[in-house]
Amino acid sequence: MSVMDQSSQSLLRTAAQLQKIGDLTDEQCHDLVALPHRLLNAFPPRTLVREGAGIDDCCLLVSGYACRTKLTRRGHRQILSFHVAGDILNVERLLLDRTDHNVQVLSAATIAFIPIGELRKLMREDKAIGDAIWRYSLIEASVGREWLLNVGRRGALDRVAHMLCEFVARSHEAGLGEPQACPIPITQETMADATGLTSVHVNRMLKQLRLAGAIVGVGKELRVLDWDSLKRIAGFDPSYLCLGA
Amino acid sequence: MSVMDQSSQSLLRTAAQLQKIGDLTDEQCHDLVALPHRLLNAFPPRTLVREGAGIDDCCLLVSGYACRTKLTRRGHRQILSFHVAGDILNVERLLLDRTDHNVQVLSAATIAFIPIGELRKLMREDKAIGDAIWRYSLIEASVGREWLLNVGRRGALDRVAHMLCEFVARSHEAGLGEPQACPIPITQETMADATGLTSVHVNRMLKQLRLAGAIVGVGKELRVLDWDSLKRIAGFDPSYLCLGA
DNA sequence: CGACAACTTGACGGGCGTCAACCGGAGTGG
DNA sequence: CCACTCCGGTTGACGCCCGTCAAGTTGTCG
């Protein structure tokens, strides 16, 4: 595959996701893929976007894993969402002047930068595409609400289990693994910042989940073994992910 | 003021808020106010919208206070956001088929129900109005991210203080009080469900804030006394509220 | 082989949850 | 007018969950 082909394919996952979300035609999908952009390879713990920055590009995750983060004044980090290939990393930038969070990569990743003006132009010209992206942002908000419930009102074990469930469900949706035996390539420190716990306590909870037979593996090869069991512990109901639409 | 006048005024606050957010003309503002709707008076602890429901109206808060909530399977409640007069209580319903949370009133309140079809039609006909509402939903998402940071990564004292700060800042923006000496008409149990704490511990934190001279009052007459002091304790930076735009 | 990052485990302590009692004000009915 | 109830706030005692600190292990990369 030539460099040109690679580049022309890089927005495909995002286009496919928006096609499903917004019920777009193949032609609209093509318009999305044809958007001008530049690519970047990044490695952790690289920060792509910083809070308060008014960057001029919309960032799409072409491959790899990424997350959004915020920091308290005292320097404690909270992860706001996980992202897989095809996700848009800063939708809100399309209409707001300021980015209120950071974006960091969690693995080796490729990111596509699209000038905001180009994307806005396409959205203006084709209302269905605009609606699809709006819908995408509303689904993100729905996921964010579930995270708030998770962090605010579930115990540590349920909380970790729930985070793993979402990770697996979204990986599966993106074609990156099976619910049964899906790999989870993130560190325990990352899981801690996503759940509002410490890495030490995440470790204890993972041990407990291992003893319960729900997960297996160590280090970077953590895998979900018993999907049903994990869902039960977490009280996981995937409807908030809006995968069906 | 006649009943007719009352009804014709009821959407005014929402229109004014969207006008500021989306830089709308007076005429566009007028179109919003003229939307067909019916009014409802409600008292706590009434639930207006239930999770999973596919209700056909968009709910605007005309007066009073309300909040969005979610429940874990075990029945623990998390408040997702507070709302004051002029707020839209279920924006996401404009593009998603399902509501993923509940809406409850926190005080005597008046709600306007607008048929979704009517609002969608107006948004289609006037793109600026659609953009303003999208922007509104993106600002809500920004607030939600700050809540996640608050609940996940701040200690109990900072957390309660931060919640009070936001409540005051938004009340002030809506013209319902001054930063200095702003009343906070919600119960400690409500504050607990908003911060991921228990009402007992919220009580302890409020006592501490009283001793620090930041707040005064008891029961339903809780008031912010020393705004700067409260902001400092909370580490509050209002930019996430996007009040300037 | 050394350096380093991530995981693992144990000991200890504190922040916050839980339980329970009491208080005070608002509403209600006699 | 007073008794009663109810809801919300207040406080203390107690204990557990989870944070903190620290040491040790494993795997990877140079």
Side-chain angles (χ1 to χ4, degrees):
Chain A
M1 188 186 278
S2 76
V3 172
M4 190 54 213
D5 284 337
Q6 260 188 6
S7 182
S8 74
Q9 294 297 310
S10 52
L11 305 186
L12 204 59
R13 282 178 174 277
T14 303
Q17 188 179 6
L18 290 175
Q19 182 172 36
K20 182 184 286 186
I21 287 174
D23 202 21
L24 303 180
T25 66
D26 286 348
E27 192 176 353
Q28 288 166 325
C29 209
H30 178 79
D31 289 345
L32 281 166
V33 173
L35 279 165
H37 60 274
R38 63 193 173 81
L39 294 177
L40 174 75
N41 290 316
F43 300 87
R46 172 146 185 185
T47 298
L48 295 170
V49 179
R50 272 175 212 290
E51 184 174 344
I55 69 158
D56 296 321
D57 297 293
C58 190
C59 307
L60 307 194
L61 188 54
V62 175
S63 71
Y65 297 89
C67 66
R68 305 178 184 216
T69 68
K70 274 192 102 158
L71 299 175
T72 64
R73 192 166 294 183
R74 291 191 178 79
H76 293 118
R77 184 176 80 149
Q78 175 67 41
I79 293 181
L80 307 166
S81 57
F82 286 132
H83 293 284
V84 298
D87 284 358
I88 307 174
L89 300 176
N90 59 344
V91 228
E92 72 286 340
R93 189 59 187 76
L94 286 171
L95 276 184
L96 300 180
D97 293 330
R98 190 182 156 281
T99 299
D100 62 301
H101 59 267
N102 310 294
V103 175
Q104 285 179 271
V105 296
L106 295 169
S107 69
T110 305
I111 296 95
F113 292 83
I114 303 177
I116 284 181
E118 294 286 341
L119 194 44
R120 272 199 222 158
K121 191 173 135 214
L122 180 57
M123 286 164 47
R124 253 199 319 273
E125 288 167 357
D126 190 326
K127 186 161 174 17
I129 291 178
D131 277 1
I133 295 178
W134 185 2
R135 254 173 113 123
Y136 176 87
S137 73
L138 291 175
I139 292 172
E140 266 200 350
S142 170
V143 175
R145 286 188 285 269
E146 183 70 30
W147 277 51
L148 187 52
L149 175 65
N150 196 38
V151 170
R153 283 297 186 226
R154 274 194 263 256
L157 186 66
D158 320 22
R159 215 138 118 193
V160 171
H162 195 277
M163 178 214 63
L164 296 178
C165 282
E166 180 185 312
F167 198 93
V168 168
R170 297 188 54 194
S171 293
H172 177 57
E173 177 71 10
L176 300 170
E178 291 305 309
Q180 333 289 349
C182 173
I184 302 173
I186 55 178
T187 77
Q188 293 178 5
E189 175 114 28
T190 299
M191 298 185 199
D193 285 344
T195 51
L197 300 167
T198 58
S199 62
V200 174
H201 204 61
V202 166
N203 185 292
R204 292 193 275 248
M205 296 302 103
L206 290 178
K207 181 178 181 181
Q208 212 167 317
L209 290 175
R210 258 181 230 121
L211 289 176
I215 60 175
V216 284
V218 292
K220 304 241 167 203
E221 277 302 310
L222 191 63
R223 280 172 177 273
V224 169
L225 179 65
D226 185 345
W227 174 239
D228 289 330
S229 163
L230 193 63
K231 275 202 303 190
R232 192 171 29 75
I233 294 171
F236 181 71
D237 173 357
S239 51
Y240 72 92
L241 292 169
C242 303
L243 297 181
Chain B
M1 189 187 278
S2 76
V3 173
M4 190 55 213
D5 283 338
Q6 259 186 6
S7 182
S8 74
Q9 294 298 308
S10 52
L11 305 187
L12 205 59
R13 281 176 174 278
T14 303
Q17 189 179 4
L18 290 175
Q19 181 173 36
K20 183 185 285 186
I21 288 175
D23 203 20
L24 303 179
T25 66
D26 287 347
E27 192 177 352
Q28 288 166 323
C29 209
H30 179 79
D31 289 344
L32 282 167
V33 173
L35 279 166
H37 62 275
R38 64 192 172 82
L39 293 177
L40 174 75
N41 290 316
F43 300 88
R46 171 145 187 187
T47 299
L48 295 170
V49 180
R50 272 177 212 288
E51 184 173 345
I55 69 159
D56 296 321
D57 297 293
C58 191
C59 308
L60 307 194
L61 188 56
V62 175
S63 69
Y65 297 88
C67 67
R68 305 180 184 216
T69 69
K70 275 193 103 160
L71 299 175
T72 64
R73 192 164 295 181
R74 292 192 178 81
H76 293 117
R77 184 176 79 149
Q78 174 69 41
I79 293 181
L80 307 166
S81 57
F82 287 132
H83 294 283
V84 297
D87 284 357
I88 307 173
L89 300 176
N90 59 344
V91 227
E92 71 287 340
R93 188 59 188 78
L94 286 171
L95 276 184
L96 301 180
D97 293 331
R98 188 182 158 283
T99 299
D100 63 300
H101 59 267
N102 311 294
V103 174
Q104 285 179 270
V105 296
L106 294 170
S107 70
T110 304
I111 296 96
F113 291 85
I114 302 177
I116 285 182
E118 294 287 341
L119 194 45
R120 271 198 227 164
K121 190 172 136 216
L122 181 57
M123 283 164 48
R124 252 198 319 275
E125 288 167 356
D126 191 326
K127 187 161 173 16
I129 290 178
D131 277 1
I133 295 177
W134 185 2
R135 253 173 114 123
Y136 176 86
S137 73
L138 291 175
I139 292 171
E140 266 199 351
S142 170
V143 175
R145 287 188 284 270
E146 183 70 30
W147 277 50
L148 187 53
L149 175 65
N150 196 38
V151 171
R153 284 297 185 225
R154 274 194 265 254
L157 187 66
D158 319 22
R159 217 187 288 185
V160 171
H162 196 278
M163 179 215 61
L164 296 178
C165 282
E166 180 186 312
F167 197 94
V168 168
R170 297 188 54 195
S171 293
H172 176 57
E173 177 70 9
L176 301 170
E178 291 305 308
Q180 331 289 350
C182 173
I184 302 173
I186 54 178
T187 74
Q188 293 179 6
E189 175 114 28
T190 299
M191 298 183 199
D193 285 344
T195 51
L197 300 167
T198 58
S199 62
V200 173
H201 204 62
V202 165
N203 185 292
R204 292 193 274 248
M205 296 302 104
L206 290 179
K207 180 177 181 180
Q208 212 168 317
L209 290 175
R210 258 182 230 119
L211 288 176
I215 60 175
V216 283
V218 293
K220 306 240 164 204
E221 278 300 312
L222 191 64
R223 279 173 178 273
V224 168
L225 179 66
D226 184 345
W227 173 241
D228 289 331
S229 162
L230 192 64
K231 276 202 303 188
R232 192 170 28 74
I233 293 171
F236 181 71
D237 173 358
S239 50
Y240 73 93
L241 292 170
C242 303
L243 297 181

